[in-house]
Amino acid sequence: MSLIIGRPHISLKNLNVYYGHLQVLKNITLDIPDRQITVIIGPSGCGKTTLLKTLNRLLDSVEGVRVEGRVLVDGEDIYSPGVEVTRIRKKMGLLSQRPQVLPMSIYDNVAYGPRIHGLKNKQQLDQIVERYLRIAGLWDEVKDRLSEPASRLSLGQQQRLCLARGLAVEPEIILGDEPTSALDPQSSQNVEKCLLSLKSQYTVLLVTHILRQARRIADYIVFLYLGEIVEHGPAQEVLNNPRDPRTKAYLSGEIS
Amino acid sequence: MKWRFLEEKIFRAVMIIATSLTALILILIIGTVVVKGFKALKLEMIFRLPQGGYYFGREGGILNSIIGSLQLAGGATILAFFFSLPIVFYLNYFSKSKSIWPTLIRFSLDVLWGVPSIVYGAFGFLLMTWFGWTASLLLGIITLALLEIPIMSRAMDEVLKLVPPDLLEASFSLGATKFETAWKVVIRQALPGILTAILIAFGRAIGDAASVLLTAGYTDNITTSLFQPVASLPLAIFFQLGTPYPEVQQRAYAAAIILTLIILLISYLSRRITRRYAKHLVF
Ligand SMILES: Nc1ncnc2c1ncn2[C@@H]1O[C@H](COP(=O)(O)OP(=O)(O)OP(=O)(O)O)[C@@H](O)[C@H]1O
Ligand SMILES: [Mg+2]
């Protein structure tokens, strides 16, 4: 097993997740390195989305879910009673499989997070909106139409808007659930570029089923199979010299 | 000919018959009202109070009833909204998933929807006698609000069910609370449907005679206090139709035209407003 350089940002300890009687995540123990891009790969239905939703507690609102084990973020167990869910979620920006813009203008989408967290000052909001739209590489395309409905943007633009919106609450962690799967190649590339530029400041955790994407951007790879972690380690190691036969099979396209 | 094609033909015929029958009846109703009331329909109907010594007014206008109806239905709609919105938020976002309450509440609302409005009127009347009140605008508003709440909340309930769950997750993942999500995201997304629900409830209230008959009373003047009796268009129509004088009956039909026009105007306006907001919706 390889060592993680520096302290882990997120630690999972013996995590089990059940939907009713169905156990979806099995005894997951994993350290996610700080300020690197960790990519989770694995076949469809193996529990990748569930794992992400466990991290920001979006799973709370699903009926009949049970979570066992510990999830430590910055050393704090986010499932211990008394923890404020909104504060945990504020630490993480989520990019979903399909971009989901809010039913309001482009500007209001980005300002939504800061506003609910109490920022009212118009000038500061303007600055935040511009800063994060720039980071998401969208500013030049939308600067003249900030008051237009966000739903008029193209899908690729919407996904970058979602990124800007997530960054605007100033999270430490970015969770991406196959964020490029609904996008065309050019938009995917844009989103990938954004994520790469962000890793100096954020811990990025990305789910993908595109192996080439994993090769392009991953520092650290986790291979999830049927709810279990089969193998994890630095990207080069796992991708080039997988130890487990199941990882080998997945990487060579025999299981998908 | 194959059965599948015959099936298609029969179904088409049934659809056409049902639609055209409904349209025909609607045209007949509106046609009768217009033909019978057209002669009495003068501009002064809208701008003047009843004149001529009769309680129901042989001359002058029905301004008292127009304003009274707007006061009653407007007040009741606002009141009902402040009850319906929390109800549907609870039903959709705040109830525990295993709780039996949402099912029970939806069931009661459905039952209340079907209760005839005279029963609401009788209930208001009971309140009145218990507390020693008199017929008044306030009591009329309360009674109509009771009539509106099931309609408005069930209609809004159906609308909220259509809000995509991913949208809620997007808001939650930014650290929003359930309330913030409901208030700032759900309402916007559901706005056209919510407006429609409000409009349906308003339409039901402004057209209802039985619930105001015993609770709101009637007056020849414009009501300026919540505690005075108030006139209303349905009652004006009801009373005037009940007289033996053809010229007064004619005025009843004219009042019916005005009531219909008010409802038309309001649904037109709400559609305009809805369209302004609909551009923000996401799917
Ligand atoms: N709300 C739910 N209730 C019950 N079972 C669920 C629920 N959500 C997901 N599952 C099940 O949990 C398992 C893991 O689902 P999950 O969405 O985490 O997979 P995934 O790895 O993200 O798959 P994909 O690559 O297709 O997105 C699947 O078998 C799925 O059917
Ligand atoms: Mg998934």
Side-chain angles (χ1 to χ4, degrees):
Chain A
M1 274 291 118
S2 48
L3 290 170
I4 293 173
I5 320 293
R7 72 181 170 100
H9 199 161
I10 304 173
S11 296
L12 308 175
K13 301 220 151 82
N14 304 104
L15 180 72
N16 290 297
V17 175
Y18 306 81
Y19 288 116
H21 294 294
L22 177 71
Q23 181 169 10
V24 180
L25 294 180
K26 295 169 190 159
N27 203 27
I28 305 264
T29 296
L30 177 69
D31 285 339
I32 292 163
D34 191 22
R35 271 172 277 183
Q36 295 197 23
I37 298 185
T38 300
V39 171
I40 303 174
I41 53 174
S44 182
C46 69
K48 305 183 295 292
T49 299
T50 307
L51 182 60
L52 282 195
K53 288 189 176 175
T54 314
L55 296 182
N56 70 354
R57 289 190 57 176
L58 262 188
L59 223 51
D60 289 14
S61 50
V62 182
E63 273 177 49
V65 166
R66 205 167 85 241
V67 178
E68 288 170 355
R70 304 210 299 157
V71 179
L72 306 177
V73 177
D74 295 319
E76 178 193 17
D77 185 351
I78 63 166
Y79 278 92
S80 70
V83 168
E84 237 180 282
V85 180
T86 53
R87 187 174 52 81
I88 297 301
R89 290 187 184 145
K90 190 176 173 299
K91 283 188 172 185
M92 310 180 196
L94 176 72
L95 281 178
S96 53
Q97 216 153 342
R98 285 184 53 80
Q100 187 70 59
V101 298
L102 302 171
M104 44 188 88
S105 70
I106 296 172
Y107 182 99
D108 289 340
N109 260 271
V110 184
Y112 179 79
R115 277 188 181 135
I116 56 175
H117 295 296
L119 186 63
K120 293 210 175 66
N121 185 307
K122 172 90 172 92
Q123 257 179 326
Q124 276 174 294
L125 282 173
D126 286 352
Q127 280 174 3
I128 288 181
V129 169
E130 177 170 350
R131 164 147 33 107
Y132 291 107
L133 281 174
R134 275 189 196 284
I135 292 179
L138 195 59
W139 176 252
D140 291 328
E141 290 159 63
V142 301
K143 63 172 185 272
D144 300 320
R145 42 194 286 219
L146 289 174
S147 57
E148 268 186 38
S151 51
R152 291 215 189 124
L153 295 174
S154 75
L155 269 188
Q157 290 172 323
Q158 289 189 15
Q159 191 62 295
R160 281 178 285 150
L161 179 65
C162 290
L163 182 60
R165 182 184 70 190
L167 294 176
V169 298
E170 304 186 331
E172 306 162 4
I173 300 163
I174 297 167
L175 307 173
D177 190 358
E178 303 184 25
T180 62
S181 63
L183 310 184
D184 61 281
Q186 184 58 46
S187 306
S188 305
Q189 219 185 354
N190 286 339
V191 171
E192 267 180 39
K193 258 197 293 184
C194 284
L195 292 175
L196 274 174
S197 71
L198 288 171
K199 76 169 177 181
S200 57
Q201 292 168 59
Y202 301 88
T203 298
V204 179
L205 187 58
L206 189 74
V207 165
T208 186
H209 57 239
I210 310 170
L211 281 175
R212 268 173 301 147
Q213 186 172 56
R215 282 183 202 284
R216 280 194 298 266
I217 65 176
D219 297 312
Y220 200 80
I221 292 261
V222 177
F223 175 52
L224 201 61
Y225 186 65
L226 299 176
E228 283 177 86
I229 292 185
V230 170
E231 189 164 350
H232 64 109
Q236 299 311 323
E237 232 168 83
V238 177
L239 292 174
N240 298 332
N241 298 308
R243 295 152 196 267
D244 194 284
R246 286 168 293 178
T247 320
K248 275 186 194 134
Y250 181 74
L251 290 176
S252 63
E254 284 161 39
I255 21 181
S256 59
Chain B
M1 195 165 37
K2 276 201 192 133
W3 167 242
R4 289 176 56 217
F5 295 115
L6 195 64
E7 194 178 56
E8 176 112 350
K9 281 228 156 97
I10 294 174
F11 192 61
R12 254 181 91 94
V14 170
M15 286 191 298
I16 290 172
I17 292 171
T19 313
S20 37
L21 260 184
T22 314
L24 184 70
I25 292 169
L26 185 70
I27 289 169
L28 276 180
I29 293 175
I30 293 184
T32 316
V33 171
V34 170
V35 167
K36 291 209 166 194
F38 190 68
K39 264 197 241 138
L41 189 67
K42 299 200 192 88
L43 211 53
E44 67 166 15
M45 290 273 299
I46 317 179
F47 292 118
R48 294 185 60 192
L49 293 175
Q51 308 280 318
Y54 280 94
Y55 184 52
F56 311 122
R58 219 181 262 244
E59 283 169 31
I62 48 165
L63 183 63
N64 60 329
S65 312
I66 296 176
I67 296 202
S69 263
L70 291 176
Q71 287 170 321
L72 279 166
T77 304
I78 292 170
L79 188 60
F81 181 71
F82 282 111
F83 280 85
S84 302
L85 198 66
I87 292 176
V88 293
F89 274 6
Y90 166 74
L91 288 177
N92 286 283
Y93 304 119
F94 290 86
S95 55
K96 296 263 179 324
S97 56
K98 292 212 179 88
S99 164
I100 185 169
W101 286 109
T103 318
L104 264 180
I105 292 171
R106 286 196 173 102
F107 178 72
S108 336
L109 289 172
D110 286 346
V111 172
L112 284 174
W113 188 322
V115 168
S117 58
I118 189 72
V119 176
Y120 288 96
F123 178 72
F125 186 69
L126 264 184
L127 284 184
M128 194 164 94
T129 47
W130 275 343
F131 295 108
W133 296 337
T134 54
S136 65
L137 174 57
L138 181 62
L139 195 62
I141 286 178
I142 292 174
T143 311
L144 284 177
L146 292 177
L147 176 78
E148 281 192 41
I149 286 171
I151 300 168
M152 199 188 281
S153 51
R154 278 304 261 137
M156 295 203 307
D157 189 30
E158 293 303 322
V159 172
L160 290 202
K161 282 185 196 161
L162 296 179
V163 173
D166 288 353
L167 192 57
L168 305 179
E169 286 195 352
S171 172
F172 290 147
S173 72
L174 294 165
T177 60
K178 279 185 186 177
F179 179 75
E180 286 158 346
T181 304
W183 190 245
K184 297 188 169 151
V185 176
V186 171
I187 287 202
R188 275 164 182 266
Q189 175 72 8
L191 196 68
I194 290 178
L195 282 178
T196 309
I198 292 173
L199 179 79
I200 293 171
F202 180 91
R204 179 79 199 277
I206 202 171
D208 196 74
S211 39
V212 288
L213 181 62
L214 301 171
T215 57
Y218 200 80
T219 167
D220 269 354
N221 296 306
I222 290 170
T223 304
T224 52
S225 154
L226 278 173
F227 305 102
Q228 288 171 357
V230 62
S232 53
L233 282 169
L235 286 189
I237 297 167
F238 178 66
F239 291 147
Q240 289 172 331
L241 272 183
T243 62
Y245 313 109
E247 72 266 35
V248 177
Q249 288 182 354
Q250 213 176 42
R251 291 169 61 83
Y253 286 106
I257 297 176
I258 291 170
L259 181 55
T260 313
L261 286 179
I262 290 178
I263 293 175
L264 265 179
L265 183 72
I266 284 172
S267 55
Y268 170 74
L269 284 181
S270 76
R271 257 162 222 276
R272 285 286 300 268
I273 298 171
T274 309
R275 209 168 303 146
R276 281 240 323 257
Y277 283 95
K279 64 177 189 187
H280 281 296
L281 301 192
V282 296
F283 300 99

